[in-house]
Amino acid sequence: MYDLCIYNARVMDPASGLDRTGAVTVKDGRIAGIGTDAQEAAVMIDAGGQVLSPGFLDIHTHEDGAPAAAERILPVQLAQCALRTGVTTLVTGNCGTSSPDVGEYERGLAETGVPVSSFMLIGNATLRRLAGLGSYDTASAAQIAEMCARCERELRRGAVGISFGLQYDPGTSYEEEKALWETAARHGRIVAVHMRWDYPEKARETLGEMLSLARETGARLEISHIAANLYGSLENGENVIAWADREIRASGCDISCDMYPYNVWATGLKSAVFDQGFGNFNFGVKDLEILTGKYAGQYCTEELFERLRKGGEEVQVACHNAMPPEDVEAAFRLPYCMLGSDSHMVRTPDGHLHGHPRGAGSPARLLGHFVRERKLLSLMEGLRKMTVLPAERFGLAGKGRLAEGADADLVVFDPDRIGERSRFGVDVCGIPPAGISAVVAGGQVKYRPLIF
Ligand SMILES: [Zn+2]
């Protein structure tokens, strides 16, 4: 007798290329079999011809280590929001900021009963703060050695790699990067980088720094939210993404990237991104929409921007007019580009989650808007970007595939209806995506809405 059987499904597995009508059975948290007919199980789900795929991986999220230990772990609420989008595995600690201690992080997850699998990158900014460095400070040789020792310890304890947020910590030197990249390379782990600049005039320098480090250290590079940093045109008129793709392939280095399926970015209003003013950007203060805090849903004025920069709590802002939509699409067409929501939500005093809707709708938007409506990718290719590709890239054995013995993380969805329904500036997790009818994590049915 099996624990679970999902039958009458269009079983799609990008790892094997399988795409046929059949059934998947589950026992003790693992996939027990993939066949054509239903098997007797404690829980039976008739998929009614909908797609059954491996649970989705979101390799770019933020759970960045708040000061209080109780808040340092991914809140159950955030994980539930991810789960309702079909995400069963998260990678946190991106863009340089993480919990300082992966052991403590994992204990916290286990204690709170977070319903998804979660893996952590150790953040370079976190290491820098522990070494006493501010965002503009340059590390001494002793501080670099201290950071490398701490990084080494966290990698041994199970961190899946190291992340950098170079734009947020402009003081990060090439020497510091190189030493930490080498540490990750020795362990065969990922180096995920939010690059140093985010406008076309700096594209050559931005990517050049990455390619040089990848060549020198042999580390496995993951370029974070590629089209948020590389977009627009070079001085010769060439599209930056097309140029970057050529450079990346020519380098022969081990490089992949991630992106969220929105041409709207978001970041902290007090971050170093705005330290140089707006002279380099193709947008102004008035293009920034406030996503969190008491002004959520309002656009910035000069006065409000200055006031929020100076005092009070950090707020997140979104920019709707920076990245060209065609560059986000070009990024997703790269075969080595994976889904990464860049989700970073904040809990309001009344318990809602505010932020960019990418945290509540990225997989659904990729499959609904980019695959079905825009026909940018095949359904199988869209699924590959959030299943086997990220699982292999981050070395997450058992994730991202439908195979006997693999972790029983599964999603059932209607490819004709799947789509995001979340909006900016409000309770982003209030309305789940359309078309997702069942999500299984670790062999348990965790989400099964009556109306979907
Ligand atoms: Zn980032």
Side-chain angles (χ1 to χ4, degrees), residues 123-257:
N124 167 251
T126 298
L127 297 173
R128 284 172 59 83
R129 299 301 170 269
L130 290 168
L133 293 157
S135 57
Y136 283 92
D137 297 334
T138 306
S140 67
Q143 284 168 318
I144 292 174
E146 181 190 337
M147 291 162 68
C148 286
R150 229 185 264 271
C151 178
E152 177 90 36
R153 191 187 68 190
E154 296 309 315
L155 292 176
R156 284 188 194 285
R157 285 177 171 179
V160 291
I162 180 165
S163 77
F164 288 83
L166 299 178
Q167 196 176 15
Y168 300 120
D169 269 55
T172 309
S173 67
Y174 192 87
E175 290 67 36
E176 176 188 331
E177 288 181 84
K178 186 163 173 255
L180 286 161
W181 282 52
E182 282 169 345
T183 307
R186 275 200 302 281
H187 290 265
R189 301 282 168 76
I190 284 289
V191 177
V193 187
H194 174 141
M195 296 182 292
R196 205 174 280 275
W197 307 102
D198 67 348
Y199 45 98
E201 291 75 13
K202 285 279 192 183
R204 290 179 194 279
E205 214 175 302
T206 303
L207 184 64
E209 182 179 2
M210 296 299 102
L211 297 183
S212 171
L213 284 158
R215 275 193 204 98
E216 278 202 72
T217 66
R220 314 176 65 206
L221 170 62
E222 169 70 12
I223 298 174
S224 296
H225 41 60
I226 187 166
N229 292 74
L230 298 174
Y231 60 87
S233 307
L234 293 174
E235 65 291 339
N236 64 8
E238 189 179 7
N239 175 268
V240 169
I241 292 280
W243 163 81
D245 181 36
R246 227 180 37 246
E247 292 285 312
I248 287 168
R249 288 169 192 265
S251 76
C253 297
D254 189 0
I255 300 173
S256 57
C257 63

Side-chain angles (χ1 to χ4, degrees), residues 29-31 54-55 57 88-89 91 117-119 158 160 189 220 387-409:
R30 295 188 185 278
I31 294 173
L57 289 85
T88 53
T89 300
V91 176
S117 301
S118 191
F119 298 90
V160 291
R189 301 282 168 76
R220 314 176 65 206
T387 56
V388 65
L389 189 59
E392 288 187 345
R393 190 69 188 144
F394 280 73
L396 306 178
K399 299 296 182 195
R401 60 177 71 229
L402 299 179
E404 224 181 286
D407 293 0
D409 299 336

Side-chain angles (χ1 to χ4, degrees), residues 269 274 278 282-290 297-306 317-321:
L269 186 136
F274 301 113
F278 288 79
N282 59 351
F283 60 88
V285 170
K286 294 189 175 78
D287 291 312
L288 299 177
E289 181 183 0
I290 299 171
Q298 290 184 32
Y299 275 79
C300 274
T301 59
E302 303 269 357
E303 186 276 322
L304 187 56
F305 179 82
E306 290 309 326
V317 288
C319 183
H320 293 263
N321 303 313

Side-chain angles (χ1 to χ4, degrees), residues 60 95 194 225 342:
H60 191 122
C95 302
H194 174 141
H225 41 60
D342 206 358

